């Protein structure tokens, strides 16, 4: 081979591999849920599913044009902002490599074409995870409040709104963000804001009262802390990023330490810390000081007192199929007869060789329709009897974690009762696969994987059970967030009429959960976090039921059985446990304003206590490291007059996070160079061999 041939051959090799590398670099940039929402928003789904399921908070109409709320990861934020605006969209906030935005439904692919855009994720709908608990022997908060009450510390509440007119807050809600920023908001403004929330501020006001309420009887944990309230509009993940940027920005300007509470979450995602929401949160906390974040673990555990004609497994299913095993299936059904759409989120490890299939059955176990099997990298759909099934397995390698991502959606017409049907999620084995599946809406009252299902006639796959493992909701799966489980502080409390009400009686007059005093709440989500190594979550447990706290003044009439008095209401949930720990974190920041999130997490874990209910084998995936102990935690914090300074980072003072996509891009480039050099070397060797052979023959 002469030099000219060598150059041509090498050039062809370079072209082929460079084009292949380019295809890899630009593939898989759009979240499958976003693809589905874009297609449905432009088509009939905009009318059929408006306000339902994932559409309730994600598909928005702005100026008559269907638009989608998204989170974007980009290597050049300024260029991406210009592209968004050029496509008719609007930019929310920009933090490091992340941008929140509205994007026209028909412009999503054009945005993905921008070379600097790495991934576009649909904003996920988030749900709320809904006195005595301060006492010695439960959390020991009263033992430290003589000295520390959160003075000088800010508490951020990102929720359904806070009724700042309530006397428990005493003018300590110093900023209110609801589209615009209001400094020292007036009582009339706050009541107007919360009256626009779907729950009229009931959840957010209650949460704020637990963390910082100042009532003499129903005292919050940090009653002298000042509050920054962020009221969510649609309640989606992009709004959380906007809220964090707002809160941390104010804290930086005031040079004050701050703890932010998130009593909300979603089961849409890989639960491994890699969603764009989780990465954004990490960016705000890593390398910072005087910033702490508490998250509710979720209320997604299946309550054993809940009964159905079916065996109730849970909202999660583990997939583990080895090469040579038979096919497996999971039976699921919708429990809410008003539901019009349900979603199954599938995440399998890289390299899996399974195909997805969905079969829908009536109550007589007669097949109505089925879609698939669908191979990795493809999608399919079908429609029959008012039921539309979409199976999207096109994301063969998610750029954030390398996993195979499948999304199954079932839509029901207005005349179709979804509770009259069940469906099987089937994994056809072509060489084995492993991973996890989650249902959305993520409430066992609405969705469920069954257990104990026996194979019916004609089924060529084996049924596996659903469960309640890996059910810590996002963003509580974020490693940097202090994730809080719930336990019951007592069996009995007094209502507004002085009557005994029983929290340990399931579904009684007080809406009790059936959890006994001191026990882990039956609803409290179990871990671990998904991903390599089964990450430990939750981190800590705190009182989450029955909690009497501040009641929104516009929340409407309720049963007297759940009222402490007319201005205080009893609720339960990990939503109530998380702000309890947020209040303790505020006391810790009062003692040392430069405490980091990792310092606070380490102290809370090390000082958590064990008892007969937690057992001694901790940490585990229910209790975390045990029950929170405020006194021991405060004792471990060294007093300091340090003032936090986060001015060196990006955004509102946050550290720059190393991007996994950068690592993968570099690895891909190195691989390409090695392949190119290997081919060039092989071509050269062959040329030399041929030349030597020709010389010998001559």
């Amino acid at each position: 081979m002469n030099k000219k041939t060598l150059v041509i051959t090498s050039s062809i090799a370079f072209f082929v591999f460079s084009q292949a590398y380019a295809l890899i670099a630009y593939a898989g940039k759009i979240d499958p849920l976003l693809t589905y929402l874009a297609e449905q928003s432009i088509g009939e789904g905009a009318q059929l599913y408006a306000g339902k399921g994932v559409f309730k908070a994600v598909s928005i109409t702005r100026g008559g044009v269907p638009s989608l709320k998204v989170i974007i990861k980009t290597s050049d934020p300024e260029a991406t902002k210009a592209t968004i605006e050029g496509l008719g969209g609007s930019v929310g906030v920009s933090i490091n490599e992340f941008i929140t935005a509205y994007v026209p439904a028909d412009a999503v692919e054009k945005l993905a074409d921008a070379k600097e855009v790495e991934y576009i994720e649909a904003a996920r709908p988030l749900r709320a995870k809904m006195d005595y608990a301060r006492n010695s022997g439960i959390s020991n908060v009263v033992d430290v409040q003589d000295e520390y009450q959160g003075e000088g510390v800010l508490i951020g509440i990102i929720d359904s709104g806070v009724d700042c007119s309530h006397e428990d807050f005493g003018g300590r809600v110093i900023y209110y963000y609801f589209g615009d920023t209001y400094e020292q908001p007036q009582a009339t403004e706050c009541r107007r804001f919360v009256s626009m929330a779907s729950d009229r501020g009931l959840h957010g006001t209650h949460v704020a009262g637990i963390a910082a309420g100042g009532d003499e009887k129903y005292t919050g944990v940090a009653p002298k802390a000042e509050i920054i309230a962020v009221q969510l509009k649609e309640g989606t993940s992009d709004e959380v990023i906007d809220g964090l940027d707002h809160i941390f920005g104010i804290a930086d300007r005031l040079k004050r330490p701050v703890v932010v509470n998130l009593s909300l979450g979603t089961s849409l995602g890989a639960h491994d810390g890699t969603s764009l929401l989780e990465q954004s949160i990490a960016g705000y906390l890593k390398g910072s000081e005087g910033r702490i974040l508490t998250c509710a673990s979720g209320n997604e555990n299946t309550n054993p007192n809940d009964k159905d004609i079916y065996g109730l497994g849970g909202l999660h299913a583990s997939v583990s199929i080895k090469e040579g095993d038979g096919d497996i299936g999971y039976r699921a059904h919708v429990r809410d007869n008003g539901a019009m759409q349900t979603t199954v989120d599938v995440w399998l490890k890289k390299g899996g060789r399974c195909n997805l299939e969905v079969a829908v059955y009536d109550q007589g176990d007669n097949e109505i329709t089925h879609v698939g099997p669908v191979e990795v990298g493809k999608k399919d759909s079908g429609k029959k009897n008012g039921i539309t099934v979409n199976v999207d397995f096109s994301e063969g390698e998610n750029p954030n974690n390398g996993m195979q991502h499948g999304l199954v959606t079932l839509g029901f017409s207005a005349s179709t009762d979804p509770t009259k049907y069940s469906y099987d999620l089937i994994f056809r084995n072509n060489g084995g696969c492993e991973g996890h599946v989650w249902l959305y809406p993520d409430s066992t009252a609405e969705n469920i994987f069954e257990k104990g299902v026996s194979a019916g006639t004609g089924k060529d796959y084996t049924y596996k059970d659903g469960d309640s493992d890996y059910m810590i909701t996002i963003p509580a799966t974020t490693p940097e967030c202090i994730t809080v489980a719930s336990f019951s502080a007592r069996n009995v409390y007094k209502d507004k009429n002085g009557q005994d009400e029983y929290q340990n009686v399931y579904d009684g007059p007080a809406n009790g959960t059936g959890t006994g005093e001191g026990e882990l709440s039956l609803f409290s989500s179990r871990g671990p976090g998904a991903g390599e190594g089964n990450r430990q979550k939750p981190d800590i447990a705190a009182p989450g039921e029955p909690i009497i706290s501040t009641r929104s003044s516009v929340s409407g009439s309720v049963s007297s059985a759940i009222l402490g008095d007319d201005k205080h209401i009893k609720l339960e949930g990990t939503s109530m446990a998380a702000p309890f720990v947020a209040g303790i974190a505020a006391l810790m920041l009062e003692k040392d304003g430069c405490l980091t999130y990792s310092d606070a997490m380490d102290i809370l874990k090390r000082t958590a206590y064990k008892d007969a209910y937690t057992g001694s084998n901790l940490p585990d995936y229910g209790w975390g490291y045990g029950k929170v102990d405020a006194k021991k935690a405060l004792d471990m914090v060294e007093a300091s007059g340090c003032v936090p300074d986060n001015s060196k980072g990006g955004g509102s003072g946050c550290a720059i996070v190393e991007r996994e996509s950068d690592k993968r891009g570099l690895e891909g480039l190195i691989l390409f160079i090695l392949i190119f050099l290997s081919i060039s070397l092989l071509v050269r060797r062959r040329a030399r061999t041929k030349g030597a052979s020709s010389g010998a023959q001559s």
Side-chain angles (χ1 to χ4, degrees), residues 79-325:
T80 301
K81 289 179 192 177
T83 301
I84 292 168
E85 292 171 353
L87 292 171
S90 60
V91 175
V93 302
S94 176
I95 169 65
N96 295 334
E97 68 265 49
F98 303 102
I99 297 173
T100 63
Y102 283 93
V103 177
D106 59 359
V108 171
E109 291 185 359
K110 294 178 182 177
L111 177 59
D113 282 340
K115 63 181 181 180
E116 79 279 357
V117 171
E118 298 178 12
Y119 196 67
I120 313 173
E121 181 177 280
R124 266 48 176 172
L126 304 173
R127 291 182 156 202
K129 306 299 172 185
M130 319 243 220
D131 77 56
Y132 179 86
R134 298 181 302 121
N135 286 355
S136 298
I138 297 179
S139 63
N140 296 329
V141 169
V142 293
D143 295 335
V144 298
Q145 283 186 324
D146 284 344
E147 189 172 0
Y148 298 102
Q149 296 190 25
E151 191 167 5
V153 179
L154 300 173
I155 296 181
I157 304 293
I158 301 178
D159 215 292
S160 65
V162 176
D163 182 4
C164 64
S165 70
H166 201 292
E167 60 194 43
D168 283 11
F169 301 125
R172 288 179 294 112
V173 179
I174 61 171
Y175 284 94
Y176 203 106
Y177 180 69
F178 186 45
D180 293 309
T181 302
Y182 299 83
E183 186 173 358
Q184 297 294 342
Q186 299 299 307
T188 53
E189 289 178 318
C190 286
R191 283 194 291 268
R192 178 168 60 87
F193 295 152
V194 295
S195 67
M196 289 187 272
S198 59
D199 71 343
R200 302 179 72 82
L202 177 67
H203 188 270
T205 302
H206 194 270
V207 164
I210 295 169
D215 183 75
E216 184 176 347
K217 182 177 181 180
Y218 302 113
T219 312
V221 180
K224 289 189 177 179
E226 293 182 309
I227 299 168
I228 303 173
V230 172
Q231 181 172 330
L232 302 177
K233 291 184 176 181
E234 283 85 29
T236 49
S237 54
D238 62 314
E239 294 180 33
V240 171
I241 297 174
D242 294 351
L244 288 171
D245 196 71
H246 179 77
I247 292 169
F248 289 137
I250 291 174
D252 288 349
R253 290 196 299 274
L254 298 179
K255 296 189 181 302
R256 302 264 293 276
V258 60
V259 54
V260 181
N261 184 77
L262 294 176
S263 285
L264 36 80
T266 181
S267 291
L268 288 170
H271 294 67
D272 61 356
T274 63
S275 74
L276 299 194
L277 172 60
E278 292 162 295
Q279 291 188 56
S280 298
I281 288 173
Y284 282 112
L285 295 177
K286 285 185 176 181
S288 69
E289 57 186 18
R291 291 180 179 179
I292 299 173
L293 186 68
T294 54
C295 297
S297 67
N299 304 334
E300 279 65 43
N301 192 56
T302 303
N303 192 318
N305 295 304
D306 188 5
K307 304 299 180 184
D308 201 324
I309 59 173
Y310 309 100
L312 302 181
L315 293 165
H316 166 266
S318 290
V319 180
S320 181
I321 309 175
K322 297 180 181 178
E323 186 174 1
D325 288 350

Side-chain angles (χ1 to χ4, degrees), residues 617-675:
N617 190 23
L618 297 180
D620 66 14
Y621 298 142
W623 291 98
Y625 283 78
K627 295 179 176 179
V628 68
D629 189 320
K631 186 177 187 307
K632 287 184 178 179
L634 265 291
D635 286 345
M636 279 198 69
V637 178
E638 293 186 12
S640 168
C642 182
V643 177
D645 180 6
N646 294 302
S647 60
K648 296 179 181 179
S652 296
C654 53
I656 303 297
V657 182
E658 184 178 16
R659 299 196 301 270
E660 290 298 320
S661 58
D662 289 345
K663 295 179 183 178
R664 284 194 291 274
L666 180 59
E667 290 167 358
L669 181 59
I670 292 172
L671 178 62
F672 159 69
I673 292 171
L674 290 174
I675 293 172

